[in-house]
Amino acid sequence: NINKTLSLLGTSEKKPVENIETKKRIWEFRRACYLKHDCKKGDLITSSNLTTLRPCKGIDARDYKKLIGKRLTVDKNAFHCLSWNDFE
């Protein structure tokens, strides 16, 4: 029956199944900014020492350009979560 076949195809609208994917879990699949190298207090952040990785813990990757030119107020190890409190 054609109606049954059409209903099995679904719609063109794609969205996460809320029973399986919570908003927190979906957020974690986004990317965040991380340091590529260990950096010391007072170091200037440049694009050469930043990268974006999953999961999204800390500063969202969409704020990448806002980090360029900031100075660290604490020592940070590579690939640890960044926080806006880590910068001047």
Side-chain angles (χ1 to χ4, degrees):
N1 162 341
I2 190 73
N3 289 333
K4 186 173 183 179
T5 303
L6 291 174
S7 71
L8 291 173
L9 289 174
T11 67
S12 61
E13 181 184 351
K14 304 295 181 210
K15 59 183 180 178
V17 179
E18 291 199 20
N19 294 339
I20 298 170
E21 299 293 345
T22 63
K23 288 185 180 187
K24 180 184 177 204
R25 184 162 159 76
I26 292 168
W27 181 260
E28 287 177 346
F29 277 100
R30 294 184 180 183
R31 292 179 178 267
C33 296
Y34 293 89
L35 294 172
K36 290 183 192 176
H37 315 284
D38 292 348
C39 292
K40 301 286 182 195
K41 178 180 178 177
D43 284 355
L44 189 67
I45 301 301
T46 64
S47 60
S48 64
N49 58 11
L50 273 182
T51 189
T52 58
L53 300 170
R54 289 186 178 105
C56 187
K57 304 278 187 188
I59 299 175
D60 193 293
R62 293 175 286 190
D63 292 326
Y64 181 93
K65 290 183 180 179
K66 293 178 185 175
L67 286 173
I68 305 296
K70 297 272 187 194
R71 286 201 183 275
L72 280 170
T73 58
V74 294
D75 294 345
K76 289 300 274 190
N77 292 328
F79 307 109
H80 280 96
C81 298
L82 294 174
S83 164
W84 287 112
N85 296 329
D86 298 335
F87 301 95
E88 293 178 346

